[in-house]
Amino acid sequence: MLKSKTFVKKTRSGGVMKVVREHYLRDDIWCGSEVCTECKQESTVLQKDACMESSLCSYPHYLVPDTNVVLHQIDILEDPVICNVIILQTVLQEVRHRSAPVYKRLKDIIHEKEKHFYTFTNEHHRDTFIEREPGESANDRNDRAIRVAVKWYTQHLKTFESDTDGLKVVLLTNDQGNKQKAQDNGLLVYKCEEYVKSLIANPELVDRLALSSDDKNEITSSKVLFPEHLPLSRIQTGIKSGSFLQGTFRASRDNYLEATVFVQGEGEDSTEVLIQGLQNLNRAVHQDVVAVQLLPRSEWVAPSSVVLQDEGTGKDDEDAEEEEGNLRTAAAEAARKPTGKVVGVIKRNWRPFCGMLNVSQIKESTRHLFTPADRRIPRIRIETRQASTLAGQRIMVAIDGWPKDSRYPNGHFVRSLGGAGEKDTEEEVLLLEHDVPHQAFSQAVLSFLPKVPWAITPEDMMKREDLRPLTVCSVDPPGCTDIDDALHCRELENGNLEVGVHIADVSHFIRPGNALDKEAASRGTTVYLCGKRIDMVPELLSSNLCSLRSNVDRLAFSCIWEINHKAEILKTRFTKSVINSKASLTYAEAQMRIDDTNKNDDITKSLRGLNKLAKILKRQRIEKGALTLSSLEVRFHMDSETHDPIDLQTKELMETNSMVEEFMLLANISVAQKIYDEFPECALLRKHPAPPPSNYDILIKAAKSKEVEVHTDSAKALADSLDAAKVDGFPYFNTLLRILATRCMMQAVYFCSGMDSDFHHYGLASPIYTHFTSPIRRYADIIVHRLLAVAIGADTTYPDLMDKHKQSALCNNLNYRHKMSQYAQRASVAFHTQLFFKSRGILNEEGFILFVRKNAIIVLIPKFGLEGTVFFDSKDKVSPNIVFEEEGPTLSVEQHKFHIFDKVKVTISLDDSNIQHQKIRMALIEPVIPGVSVPAPDTETPAKKQKLDR
Amino acid sequence: MAGLELLSDQGYRLDGRKATELRKLQARMGVFTQADGSAYLEQGNTKALAVVYGPHEMRGSRSRTLHDRAVINCQYSMATFSTAERKRRPHGDRKSTEMSLHLKQTFEAAVMTQLYPRSQIDIYVKILQSDGGNYSVCVNAATLAVIDAGIPMRDYVCACTVGFVDETPLADLCYAEENGGVSSLALALLPRGGQIALLQMDARLHQDHLETLIEAAMTACKGVSKVLDEVVRQHLQEASVLTGE
């Protein structure tokens, strides 16, 4: 093994320093090609007959992309068509420094076996290493290094020409200079674009090409529309001196010419700067980090209440100016807000956007505008030849850049999601828009799964308690395949009861730090959509090895209490165990067993014992001030074949639901206490802060209108007054009040005990709480499992587990994922509701007023758990006489006065005039207000149909 | 900027070595004639000079005299030009004092001090250029110097640092790796008997990994000992050729 030495010198900023590093060159780095007989490699990556049919290169060939091609055309490289690619170490390192997301994607591709991507460590190869020459820039050196490596490959492969049909290496670069030099060296070189266009079998790949800078000129007119962005150095000095402010750009949903920049101040001291007009917005896109300059006070404006949607087709700059003029209508002095203009973009936060294509009027045109689903994102100009096929589909588009002479940003087509309005497509859209990671698990992740057939080994048994003889059973909603908890209860000899909660031992399978663990940590939670589940861990674990199914041996983490008949806990212990569940029941089945007095088997007895204790536990909890809140959850009955919703019903709660819940709460609290005692600095806990008193205003006012008093001084007072709140002849009032109370609450969050001092869980009235019971679907539980395992000496720690800052960062991600998954879930319910009403036509339903707004009432329809808004002013009609009163609050429309909780009758229909944003529309039927309410439409037919369905 | 990637997916380290490979080790013995023994040793870019005086009578405070064996006196220093930024204080700071102490302990374990009661052996080591693994390079250089001085030792003392990255032990860390947040461990070994003369680690490492890490360090030390042995034999050959004439 030859080791030779050269020196690489580096200077670092902040006092120039000479860094000398060794650089060994080796002769044992192999080429990775199947044809090679010279290299002593163990396994080869690159195939012998590398077939990508291209009209430019009719021979088999390997591709070598340069750094910029990888950075900008990663979408192309990800395409399954492109395979047999050599990624040079030079390129990999440059990509790593320039873009972390692209680097990750590239690494994922390299890991995929079918793609045949080979990493060639050219920087350490004896023949391909080059030193930087005097006067040569770092980039030029890297380009040269790439060329040298390509040359080496070309010559290396030539030696085996006899047994290959002229296998060659093709360099892909977009740099004109580099291309020229490569040609002079006699290398095969193409521009990425040329090459992709030459691919015979896949013409649609062309659309995924990102526009490179020299293409932009032809697209745009010569007219400069926007002021130049300042260079970063000037922005930084400006921010330091205070003349510019740095903040996150938030585009307005309703008005494309308006945005705010949220400037994070110190502590609570944050300000918002208003930005109005295309010129001032200066090509910033929603979520970018921008630098803004405040305008002089005389030019400050008030936010306009006008709804403006960009209808332009690219030629209407004059119209835009006119619209801008309209914005600056008379604004009261007081309403004016700090106004500024964007002078530069510090960090772009572009991601691929979902949306639809507006096909250009000109038939042959290949340039089209793309309208994103998110209204805050501007339209994007893309180039595609398949406009006719893409019209009516949901597609994804990535932005490549926004030159100053272009009205819209330029982008490229990434992929099609499917036809708009179709269920799968819309689901995909809502997952993407809520940033829910849902792609299939990568090979790297799957490689950490246990081998099937899997069995419990004797070593596992050694460390675990054998609880298989116990009568354990699980109770879950129907159709549940990821069963993460099971219970048992038995009488002990001393007359006390032993209750055990057994949780799937996911942390046994997911070891800290590996790819599987990292993926799960990044996903954070399993997302449940209507009829679909996006798993946090691969299915083998979630539905099989970890799922505590009946009559199979499973690994579990058990929490076992000794409890007396007054439900007082005498002893608590935790242990890793092996269990064998005797039955997987649904809530309804379990309920039936408990109620059926003829049944007296072990499972039923165990259930009865649990149920009895749960009732006492619940009473105790409520006495302590735990809240029982209400929110309407709906369940769709799906058609088993089409997966369309047939019927919709609000979820029913049974005793067994609360039985399981009670023991889960108990386990969570016990575990929280244990891990906090053991690790006061780094326990992962969950808290629910008490809401500020002002949150309750709406609840108190609403209750007052029905002459009910609600006390909100403490959780206990609130719980008591909610229990007492009843109005004669209005049985639904209590539920409504609880729904309102739910809306007043704060979000519960995960946090690291070392970083916070307030641990209280308001809703559960518990001083400490965590999540332990669902490790299959929540990552927080996995961490808690690991902590607990260390605490009882069943497992070992690792550095990240004990680092409170890392834990805190993890908590932030988990909280974010949790929130997004809830939004996604709600969006999914909303979408299915729309599908449901689409098939139902128009319906008349009774509902209650939940909120009263300035120009509308929000109506809740208990039957569907559906909320909708009834507007009293519309654009095309003369608006009726509306008076809004803050006290109350009430809204008078003509003669009628609306209060909260009033019963109304509305028609429900689906408004699909805008295919990207379908929504449920409600209109008032009763009370009848002339000119406002609509006559009850004939709903005879759909009603009949509904009956037939049942 | 993303931190350095200490071990690439292809298994190469920053400088192109594989995980278990040592840096290039070169050494010369008998570089000075004034001293009783001396050696110059390069391990990659770390370069050290070791000089040995003695065994001789106790100098300075006689109270430290031991009646059954020799006292070993070590002094470690770094040249002012040994680091990227000029070093103000070449010796006497806390780090150097600690290092001196470690060297002393190492050689007390290896040198057969009981042969020289009431005497003193001085070992001076200077780092001329520092690029990681200073302790191990000093030990290796000092071993050669002690051998050059003709002082009997139980065995060569060979030292090596190892770090732990991505569940893989890396042998013979360079400066960039030492500073890249690696838990590193320094180990001095008497290779023939496999006895550990000194083991030092001040980073956090999980107990489970300690064994693999020590294992890797011992393998690396044995690698070092092979090279040192060659150097000694080469030196002897040259010396005998010269005297044989």
Side-chain angles (χ1 to χ4, degrees), chain A residues 899-929:
Chain A
H899 296 90
I900 289 192
F901 302 139
D902 279 359
K903 198 184 236 182
V904 290
K905 215 170 189 183
V906 291
T907 69
I908 308 165
S909 59
L910 184 71
D911 176 10
D912 51 6
S913 54
N914 181 348
I915 192 146
Q916 280 220 49
H917 301 281
Q918 297 191 346
K919 56 187 173 212
I920 300 285
R921 171 161 291 177
M922 285 193 186
L924 195 67
I925 307 177
E926 263 179 36
V928 179
I929 305 169

Side-chain angles (χ1 to χ4, degrees), chain A residues 1 3 5 7 17-18 20-24 26 28-29 96-97 103 107 119 121 124 796-797, chain B residues 1 3-5 9-10 12-18 21-24 44-45 84-85 176 206 208:
Chain A
M1 192 172 304
K3 276 186 211 163
K5 246 185 344 183
F7 294 108
M17 197 157 77
K18 194 163 131 190
V20 183
R21 275 196 205 144
E22 279 182 295
H23 196 95
Y24 289 92
R26 325 180 54 107
D28 64 344
I29 296 173
R96 183 165 184 270
H97 282 135
Y103 179 68
K107 277 192 106 170
T119 322
T121 315
H124 291 291
T796 52
T797 55
Chain B
M1 190 187 106
L4 294 168
E5 190 184 38
D9 287 348
Q10 291 74 46
Y12 296 110
R13 290 155 67 176
L14 286 172
D15 49 12
R17 285 183 287 156
K18 291 202 170 162
E21 286 171 357
L22 303 174
R23 290 181 285 180
K24 188 174 171 106
N45 273 336
E85 269 174 334
H206 198 276
D208 294 357

Side-chain angles (χ1 to χ4, degrees), chain B residues 99 102-103 106 133-140 159 186-188 198 200:
Chain B
M99 194 72 97
H102 285 157
L103 285 174
T106 312
N134 288 354
Y135 167 76
S136 26
V137 175
C138 285
V139 170
N140 297 337
L187 182 127
L198 187 114
Q200 185 234 342

Side-chain angles (χ1 to χ4, degrees), chain A residues 174 190 199 228 236 346 384 399 456 486 524 542 583 587 640 768 836 886 920 926:
Chain A
N174 283 336
Y190 294 108
L199 288 174
E228 185 93 52
Q236 276 163 345
I346 296 164
T384 175
I399 304 184
I456 297 172
S542 69
Y587 289 122
S640 54
I768 192 163
F836 176 72
E886 195 78 47
I920 300 285
E926 263 179 36

Side-chain angles (χ1 to χ4, degrees), chain A residues 423-424 427 530-532 635-648 832 835-836 839-840 945 948-950:
Chain A
K423 227 179 96 198
D424 293 342
E427 243 159 31
C530 300
K532 193 174 179 178
R635 253 195 107 76
F636 290 93
H637 282 234
M638 299 284 193
D639 188 306
S640 54
E641 268 163 34
T642 58
H643 296 288
D644 283 336
I646 310 170
D647 198 3
L648 175 156
H832 278 83
L835 276 187
F836 176 72
S839 54
R840 289 288 168 274
K945 215 168 111 194
L948 283 176
D949 279 345
R950 285 172 188 165

